[in-house]
Amino acid sequence: MQTHQRLQRRLGVFDATAIGLGSMLGAGVFVVFSPATALAGPLMVLSVLVAGAIAYCNAVASAQLAAKYPASGGTYVYGRKQLGEWPGFIAGWGFVTGKTASCAAMALTFGQYVAPGFATPLAVAAVVVLTGVNLMGITRTALLTRILLAIVLGTLVFVTVAGIAGPHPEPAGPVAGPGSAWGILPAAGLMFFAFAGYARIATLGEEVKDPARTIPRAILAALAAAFTIYLALAVLLLWHLSPGRLAESLSPLLDAVMSSGLAAGAPVVQAGAAAACLGALLALITGVGRTAMAMARERDLPSPLARVGGQHTVPFVAELSVAAAVIVLLLTADVLTVVGFSSFGVLIYYSVTNAAAFTLAERPRTAPRWLNAAGFVGCLILAVTLPLASVAGMAAVLAAGVAGRFLVLRLRKLPPRT
């Protein structure tokens, strides 16, 4: 039986929480409110509540499973252990492919905020630098995540002060409420991914101290903080900009500052957006690399991806492979249009999480089975209400992965040639 070098447990509750919150306060917090308002109008706040409720179900399920299986790989591992190889593979394949595209989108968004004319070269440079940070070890990753998170939180505080203390502008542009009640669920589908960063905590299960205690606390703390921030910003932006202006804005937080008495602070928002993109990109590369490593250990991806080594004991082959795939996407594809299908993949990932948690025999009173069932149903509802193109795109990617694994398994069963 093949054995693999294990990662080292170096992260405490604070570091793990920071990595999860840094993922949830990525570039999405600077842009997601506009498309959500275009769908749900002034009812966008209800979309935040729906997304938060489903995210809570998923967080509880993730915490249950991560405490029982403190290994890298997240739901890929949980699905295999509790449901079987195929559900685990579908979860892992959806996460790796969808989040690789998300990495490219985050990198490109960073480039567009910093220097629109040189967005792609800057995006590639960001991927190279952050991969280098990851290769220096998980403690370096956690340190940089804390620094970037502090910048983002400071920026959001400034936006809040500008929105409250600055003069409330006269409505400009269309003020008739956009969207409708029918848009609440699709808007919740967009908002949900703002809360999906706690998956990064679970994927680091092999690198946290006392995982049975640390992982559940970090997941729930990160989700609670993110939910509070998103709900407060949703209420503030709807009041400050009006639903009509918010639905049309390409940079709602920046517009909120520009239309206040603190417009001179606009560069602060731009810097915060850049830091958010980098923080989310750093956490994404880390999480995708660990999941790819876990899949390679089970031979669901090429076995070299499971190699762990170097002075800082990191999955360097998986990290470098993820970085290479992201750079290829940046150089060859319009990532901002391709990345939409990752939403469907993440919801499938969490539906497997809830299904796996439902099968656990031992559970705390705070995690009843009905909560897992509600999370499973909620994920599927949000998935099917996504735009058809997103559903079809990721369904095709999942089907290709399933077909490829099926073919590989058949080839392995063939007798060797004599």
Side-chain angles (χ1 to χ4, degrees):
M1 180 179 178
Q2 185 177 8
T3 59
H4 300 280
Q5 184 177 355
R6 311 303 294 181
L7 302 178
Q8 297 182 12
R9 300 193 181 279
R10 293 172 171 170
L11 300 180
V13 174
F14 184 80
D15 284 332
T17 302
I19 288 175
L21 187 57
S23 300
M24 286 185 266
L25 295 181
V29 74
F30 291 88
V31 297
V32 73
F33 296 103
S34 294
T37 302
L39 290 167
L43 299 177
M44 183 263 290
V45 173
L46 294 180
S47 298
V48 178
L49 295 174
V50 171
I54 296 175
Y56 175 75
C57 295
N58 298 340
V60 170
S62 297
Q64 289 177 265
L65 292 159
K68 183 176 177 62
Y69 301 110
S72 292
T75 298
Y76 168 71
V77 173
Y78 314 151
R80 284 180 64 93
K81 296 290 188 181
Q82 294 295 132
L83 303 174
E85 293 184 0
W86 278 108
F89 173 80
I90 291 172
W93 181 246
F95 183 86
V96 168
T97 55
K99 289 304 183 180
T100 297
S102 294
C103 287
M106 288 292 179
L108 190 58
T109 303
F110 164 76
Q112 289 174 334
Y113 264 99
V114 175
F118 302 92
T120 299
L122 278 175
V124 172
V127 172
V128 172
V129 170
L130 294 183
T131 300
V133 172
N134 279 335
L135 293 177
M136 293 174 65
I138 193 63
T139 54
R140 307 307 195 281
T141 299
L143 174 61
L144 182 55
T145 298
R146 291 201 303 269
I147 295 171
L148 294 173
L149 179 59
I151 296 173
V152 174
L153 291 175
T155 302
L156 297 181
V157 170
F158 175 74
V159 171
T160 302
V161 171
I164 296 174
H168 184 62
E170 291 297 324
V175 294
S180 68
W182 295 105
I184 292 176
L185 287 180
L190 294 177
M191 283 291 179
F192 170 79
F193 303 103
F195 302 121
Y198 48 79
R200 244 64 77 223
I201 301 172
T203 60
L204 300 175
E206 198 173 307
E207 294 168 276
V208 297
K209 305 171 185 176
D210 189 8
R213 170 183 173 273
T214 299
I215 295 175
R217 291 189 178 191
I219 287 176
L220 295 176
L223 176 60
F227 176 74
T228 302
I229 291 169
Y230 273 87
L231 185 61
L233 286 174
V235 173
L236 176 68
L237 292 172
L238 284 171
W239 171 77
H240 188 76
L241 292 178
S242 81
R245 293 186 66 193
L246 181 56
E248 289 195 340
S249 175
L250 296 178
S251 51
L253 272 63
L254 182 61
D255 288 349
V257 171
M258 291 297 293
S259 60
S260 75
L262 300 177
V268 173
V269 181
Q270 292 174 303
C277 292
L278 291 178
L281 177 60
L282 181 65
L284 278 169
I285 293 174
T286 304
V288 175
R290 267 61 177 181
T291 302
M293 177 193 69
M295 295 183 72
R297 284 175 172 175
E298 302 293 343
R299 300 178 68 194
D300 279 338
L301 287 179
S303 56
L305 295 176
R307 292 184 62 186
V308 173
Q311 180 181 354
H312 303 286
T313 318
V314 294
F316 64 96
V317 177
E319 295 276 5
L320 292 173
S321 299
V322 171
V326 173
I327 291 172
V328 169
L329 282 174
L330 286 169
L331 297 177
T332 62
D334 183 357
V335 180
L336 292 180
T337 59
V338 173
V339 74
F341 71 69
S342 71
S343 300
F344 185 81
V346 173
L347 283 165
I348 296 301
Y349 175 88
Y350 279 112
S351 67
V352 175
T353 304
N354 282 286
F358 186 86
T359 64
L360 290 174
E362 298 180 4
R363 58 183 57 243
R365 286 184 294 178
T366 54
R369 277 194 171 86
W370 68 261
L371 202 63
N372 303 144
F376 177 80
V377 173
C379 285
L380 294 184
I381 290 175
L382 291 187
V384 299
T385 58
L386 287 170
L388 180 59
S390 298
V391 176
M394 193 48 166
V397 171
L398 289 173
V402 168
R405 184 175 190 267
F406 180 80
L407 179 60
V408 169
L409 291 177
R410 291 292 299 270
L411 291 175
R412 287 175 183 169
K413 291 181 180 179
L414 293 177
R417 294 183 179 181
T418 57

